[in-house]
Amino acid sequence: MQSKRLAVMLAAMLLTANLSLAQQLPSKSEIMEQMVLTNRYFMNKWPDPGQNVITNKERPSNLWTRAVYYEGLMELYALHPDKAYYDYAVSWGEAHQWGLRNDVETRHADNHCAGQTYIMLHQIEPKPERIRDIQASIDGMMDSYKIDDWDWIDALQMAMPVFAQLTSLTGDKKYSERMYQMYMDTKVRQGLFNETDNLWWRDSDFLPPYQEPNGNDCYWSRGNGWVVAAMVRTLEYLPQDDPHRYEYVQMLQRMLKATLTLQRTDGFWNVSLHDPTHYEGKETSGTALFLYGMAWGVNNGLLEKDVYMPAITKAWNAIAKESIHDNGYLGYLQGTGKEPKDGQPVTYTSKPDFEDYGLGCFLLAASQVYHLVD
């Protein structure tokens, strides 16, 4: 009898110890503090939203990296409607006269990314000039039968949400139908999606027989993260009765199920999803994008909370505790590129060629984790 009582006591002690070791998400106020901190760092560094960005060359600030930041800023503004955030975004649009990089004739998805924020700002305060160029550019694409523009997977995040937004804004399904055709061209005809692994090759350069050093296929973390974000943001804007909605839901579910098992024990994802030894280490942007998708999926009832919450919690705590500097700078951020070797080395103190898209990814993820904490 005494030995049985002792066994019960030991079991209770072990359970208590395991519960104390289990990670938990912080409070909403703590999440908001980190969103505000990281964003303040960036706004202080770039007080003029229209200032050109200079790295290896000079570029206008309506390029894709900055546009992704503004996606995140708009999510922060939705949760914390500080007029300074709205004014900062509007000043960015006005600095470029609500135009696109390479003008309305462009068909390039990177150049369309700014349109996501232009449309969001138009929905807050309708002004025709805000959507004039982005709608004209998309309409110009639709005047042709060409649908093979998106030949790299990052393009899905940059441009798909714009088509969904225009469908929602105008009620015209021609935009969502063309989006579906272009998406399916990337997925099926170009063959960038692997139906077996439920992950995407970044572009045709990485199709088999290309291999990582360990002999596996190359699935770049942030590239697949962009597709996750594309599905989330497309589903956010797409009408509920869209006939292709299930395709995007299923894609999100398949990808996140595949990435769930690839998470590192510390909560991050490696830059190479199937070769953890190829430039192994913590990386913030891909991790934030997977976190964004998982948290959004749970919030919207598309993913099982019990299954995904441990991964969500680990990923959030990893970024919050290990990536964010005291001044709001984000560490462990891989620079621009298209594969694991680009932008290396990635460390706590390394400086990528562009910081803006990483913050955008973090703010998108944080906004959904914020909604998750109730």
Side-chain angles (χ1 to χ4, degrees):
M1 185 71 175
Q2 189 172 0
S3 60
K4 183 177 180 181
R5 189 179 300 116
L6 181 61
V8 170
M9 289 175 62
L10 285 171
M13 289 170 64
L14 285 171
L15 178 60
T16 302
N18 286 336
L19 289 173
S20 66
L21 289 173
Q23 293 191 41
Q24 294 183 336
L25 289 174
S27 66
K28 283 182 179 290
S29 62
E30 290 176 279
I31 294 170
M32 181 54 63
E33 284 173 10
Q34 291 185 306
M35 294 178 76
V36 170
L37 172 68
T38 52
N39 187 67
R40 183 189 302 126
Y41 166 83
F42 186 82
M43 286 179 63
N44 286 341
K45 183 172 180 178
W46 295 89
D48 177 6
Q51 180 183 344
N52 284 356
V53 181
I54 303 175
T55 55
N56 60 324
K57 66 178 183 179
E58 190 168 354
R59 299 173 175 88
S61 70
N62 57 354
L63 79 166
W64 73 266
T65 65
R66 191 59 52 89
V68 171
Y69 159 69
Y70 281 100
E71 292 174 37
L73 178 64
M74 295 305 294
E75 295 301 321
L76 171 58
Y77 176 71
L79 298 175
H80 182 55
D82 187 328
K83 188 173 183 295
Y85 300 157
Y86 176 78
D87 291 344
Y88 192 66
V90 170
S91 295
W92 176 64
E94 289 177 342
H96 299 288
Q97 298 178 317
W98 305 100
L100 308 175
R101 190 177 182 202
N102 296 332
D103 299 321
V104 295
E105 292 79 14
T106 185
R107 297 180 64 96
H108 202 286
D110 286 354
N111 299 333
H112 288 145
C113 192
Q116 294 188 44
T117 298
Y118 293 170
I119 295 171
M120 284 187 278
L121 290 169
H122 171 76
Q123 290 175 311
I124 294 171
E125 189 177 3
K127 293 187 176 183
E129 66 269 20
R130 295 183 176 183
I131 62 168
R132 178 193 60 230
D133 283 13
I134 183 59
Q135 187 169 6
S137 185
I138 301 303
D139 284 345
M141 292 181 69
M142 298 186 64
D143 285 341
S144 75
Y145 294 103
K146 181 174 166 56
I147 60 171
D148 61 353
D149 296 88
W150 299 340
D151 56 9
W152 76 110
I153 61 176
D154 313 30
L156 302 183
Q157 195 286 140
M158 306 301 157
M160 281 184 69
V162 171
F163 284 76
Q165 286 173 303
L166 288 173
T167 296
S168 178
L169 187 68
T170 67
D172 195 332
K173 295 182 179 180
K174 69 179 182 182
Y175 297 110
S176 55
E177 282 300 312
R178 176 56 63 91
M179 175 184 70
Y180 176 73
Q181 293 168 6
M182 295 180 71
Y183 159 83
M184 290 300 289
D185 183 83
T186 306
K187 176 187 174 185
V188 179
R189 191 195 64 78
Q190 297 182 48
L192 297 186
F193 180 64
N194 187 330
E195 296 278 354
T196 302
D197 292 335
N198 291 315
L199 294 169
W200 295 69
W201 293 290
R202 198 272 181 177
D203 56 49
S204 61
D205 290 346
F206 300 96
L207 294 173
Y210 185 94
Q211 292 181 338
E212 289 282 72
N214 70 351
N216 288 332
D217 285 1
C218 179
Y219 300 118
W220 183 41
S221 177
R222 188 165 67 233
N224 279 272
W226 288 135
V227 182
V228 166
M231 298 304 104
V232 168
R233 296 182 66 74
T234 296
L235 289 167
E236 281 271 318
Y237 302 122
L238 200 64
Q240 290 291 327
D241 63 352
D242 185 89
H244 310 300
R245 189 176 180 88
Y246 181 67
E247 163 66 28
Y248 310 130
V249 169
Q250 188 181 47
M251 178 56 66
L252 181 67
Q253 292 171 329
R254 292 173 70 178
M255 291 187 70
L256 292 178
K257 183 178 180 181
T259 54
L260 183 66
T261 60
L262 301 174
Q263 188 178 29
R264 293 159 50 104
T265 56
D266 61 11
F268 288 92
W269 275 266
N270 289 300
V271 291
S272 178
L273 294 177
H274 275 200
D275 188 348
T277 64
H278 192 208
Y279 293 97
E280 62 181 310
K282 303 166 185 176
E283 202 284 308
T284 299
S285 62
T287 298
L289 291 168
F290 294 139
L291 173 59
Y292 175 45
M294 289 181 181
W296 187 89
V298 170
N299 281 327
N300 287 273
L302 300 181
L303 299 176
E304 296 177 26
K305 187 173 184 179
D306 292 345
V307 173
Y308 285 89
M309 276 304 295
I312 290 169
T313 304
K314 283 199 302 180
W316 172 261
N317 288 333
I319 294 175
K321 295 176 181 178
E322 300 186 48
S323 292
I324 302 175
H325 290 228
D326 291 341
N327 66 352
Y329 176 79
L330 279 177
Y332 296 113
L333 176 61
Q334 185 184 18
T336 56
K338 67 177 195 174
E339 60 180 306
K341 73 176 179 61
D342 292 329
Q344 297 289 344
V346 176
T347 67
Y348 178 66
T349 57
S350 62
K351 183 178 179 181
D353 50 355
F354 294 88
E355 300 174 45
D356 39 15
Y357 62 85
L359 176 57
C361 295
F362 170 72
L363 292 175
L364 289 172
S367 69
Q368 288 302 314
V369 176
Y370 182 93
H371 285 303
L372 201 54
V373 178
D374 280 319

